[in-house]
Amino acid sequence: MSEHVLVERRGAVQVIRMNRPDKKNAITRAMYAAMSGALRGGDADEAVRCHVFLGVPGAFSAGNDLAEFLAVATGGEGGGEVWDFLIALAESRKPMVSGVDGIAVGIGTTLNLHCDLTFATPRTVFRTPFVDLGLVPEAGSSLLVPAIAGRQQAFAMLGLGEGFSAERAKELGLIYEIVGEAALEERVLDAAAQIAAKPPGALRIARDLMRGSREELVARIGEEAAHFRRQLASDEARAALTAFMARKKT
Ligand code: COA
């Protein structure tokens, strides 16, 4: 488990909250492992009917912990926890709802592509600067974003790394609803409770039909991961990651 991920049950809803506010919810390997464990545990538990992802006020997540990426980029071990979490997301058996407020970078954006309903506040900015970091899209985003928003929007988002507002995300069909900061968590939990009250067998079938092939998604996540690992060891990525860490010290 990780002290930076809080997991709680609210009736039939399992709430997974990223809670590392001093680092804007940058996600560490331990946090990925805790979230994978919660997802798989909840999927296996009949009492859980819906998963909810939340962050802290102003920060859903600043993405993968870049210090950990830099460690791998400079020859360190690890990284399996990230991919394991992405597979757990893609294979989740129960509906997932997310509530996003503020910063949503990298996986802080792409995690929501796997959710069945995403609510975001007006001040939320989504951004996926993978290429700027010398990296490539992950979490199946290279498959999911073109399918949802079209190739041109996908290129702007995943190629150019353009940031976009909650309003734009809603126009593109990437999120469900915009909710004010004060109402976000209540709205998310209400939606999750509504999901949890549905006949689970019928809802599972309906959801599986809408989500399409899990195999294709999991295969794409694997393909992205192979490229990602190679790029992480590239000069491009090392330079970008080192620049971010150096910026920190000035
Ligand atoms: N990994 C590791 N640490 C991170 C981080 C990340 N992804 N994002 C933020 N942090 C840390 C900062 O280094 C800083 O730590 P410090 O207080 O010890 O110096 C702390 O979180 C606060 O971040 P800061 O940059 O001061 O906040 P900000 O509000 O000015 O900016 C961001 C927030 C998210 C815009 C900025 O931190 C950023 O661009 N982070 C990197 C995002 C990213 O590229 N993620 C990876 C995508 S694949």
Side-chain angles (χ1 to χ4, degrees):
M1 284 311 265
S2 163
E3 57 179 325
H4 296 129
V5 173
L6 309 176
V7 180
E8 63 169 319
R9 295 279 171 90
R10 302 232 185 155
V13 175
Q14 171 170 262
V15 180
I16 302 171
R17 185 191 299 274
M18 294 172 277
N19 186 38
R20 196 188 179 205
D22 56 323
K23 298 289 183 185
K24 310 280 178 184
N25 274 351
I27 308 178
T28 60
R29 292 165 59 184
M31 290 168 73
Y32 284 115
M35 292 196 289
S36 305
L39 269 183
R40 294 208 170 96
D43 275 351
D45 184 342
E46 272 191 20
V48 173
R49 299 254 182 108
C50 183
H51 302 287
V52 161
F53 285 101
L54 293 171
V56 295
F60 182 67
S61 172
N64 198 97
D65 187 294
L66 292 180
E68 290 194 350
F69 266 174
L70 183 60
V72 176
T74 50
E77 288 287 302
E81 296 85 352
V82 181
W83 308 110
D84 189 51
F85 174 63
L86 299 180
I87 300 299
L89 271 181
E91 291 184 341
S92 78
R93 305 301 305 175
K94 312 230 167 124
M96 298 183 285
V97 181
S98 56
V100 183
D101 177 36
I103 293 167
V105 187
I107 194 164
T109 290
T110 58
L111 185 162
N112 301 294
L113 300 170
H114 295 267
C115 291
D116 299 282
L117 294 175
T118 293
F119 297 83
T121 62
R123 68 179 174 183
T124 297
V125 178
F126 295 96
R127 199 160 57 88
T128 45
F130 299 115
V131 169
D132 289 332
L133 290 168
L135 300 171
V136 299
E138 40 72 305
S141 56
S142 65
L143 182 71
L144 296 172
V145 180
I148 297 168
R151 283 251 306 275
Q152 301 259 333
Q153 299 301 333
F155 188 82
M157 179 175 161
L158 298 172
L160 302 182
E162 281 182 359
F164 54 102
S165 64
E167 198 175 336
R168 184 75 184 127
K170 185 162 180 268
E171 275 169 18
L172 293 172
L174 293 165
I175 68 170
Y176 177 56
E177 199 175 293
I178 300 174
V179 189
E181 283 108 66
L184 179 70
E185 293 205 7
E186 194 183 345
R187 181 73 186 94
V188 167
L189 293 170
D190 279 353
Q194 198 188 343
I195 289 169
K198 298 287 177 197
L203 187 60
R204 170 171 302 184
I205 295 166
R207 179 176 186 263
D208 284 350
L209 287 168
M210 286 186 275
R211 288 173 84 88
S213 163
R214 264 198 183 79
E215 290 70 29
E216 187 187 10
L217 181 56
V218 167
R220 178 60 66 95
I221 290 172
E223 199 182 332
E224 291 170 345
H227 288 296
F228 201 102
R229 286 203 180 91
R230 272 194 297 276
Q231 276 303 121
L232 203 45
S234 71
D235 292 342
E236 295 175 341
R238 259 195 303 272
L241 295 170
T242 305
F244 177 77
M245 298 318 290
R247 174 200 88 126
K248 221 181 82 156
K249 293 190 191 92
T250 54

